[in-house]
Amino acid sequence: MEVLNEIKELYRKRVDFHRTEKATTLRIKAVCRRLCDGDKKEAEKLFKALDNLNHPQTPYAAEYLAPMRAAKKMLEGERKAVEKQLTKLARSLPVWENWLQDVRGVGVLSIVYFMVSFKQFQRTSYLSCLSWFSFLGVYRDWE
């Protein structure tokens, strides 16, 4: 259960980083729209041009948005580091090794989402394949 608690806490950390990163991106885009007098298409061009300075307002916007962009980059790095830890922990679980790694379309972070999201899963340790089949409604004990 220690691994499950660690996965749960890391997932929450990942969600916090992701939400803050997304909010920062939206704030940067809002500033770009303001600098372009509300023109969404022009603001999107400015947002994309922040790295290569090929927009008339890019120098001012790049300087203005530098702290926000640095914060976004830092959050992205932290989120990716947490995702790497989550991947390592999730791949160590028997349910991943014995079943889910062979299922197309199911990623490592998907299993983490299942573990954290479902209340029943949090109360019980679903680490074996049989219990996962049962939990997902694929397997029933007919005895």
Side-chain angles (χ1 to χ4, degrees), residues 74-128:
M74 183 198 66
L75 287 164
E76 182 181 6
E78 291 295 322
R79 178 184 50 81
K80 286 182 179 180
V82 169
E83 286 176 356
K84 191 174 182 179
Q85 288 176 296
L86 277 170
T87 300
K88 184 178 179 183
L89 285 172
R91 284 187 174 157
S92 71
L93 297 173
V95 70
W96 176 261
E97 293 173 358
N98 298 327
W99 178 39
L100 289 174
Q101 72 179 354
D102 297 327
V103 178
R104 290 190 64 181
V106 176
V108 179
L109 291 178
S110 299
I111 186 176
V112 171
Y113 173 77
F114 276 118
M115 286 182 200
V116 174
S117 297
F118 295 110
K119 300 261 187 240
Q120 183 181 359
F121 189 88
Q122 295 171 12
R123 282 185 240 126
T124 333
S125 175
Y126 287 97
L127 296 179
S128 72

Side-chain angles (χ1 to χ4, degrees), residues 2 48 74:
E2 290 176 25
K48 290 179 181 177
M74 183 198 66

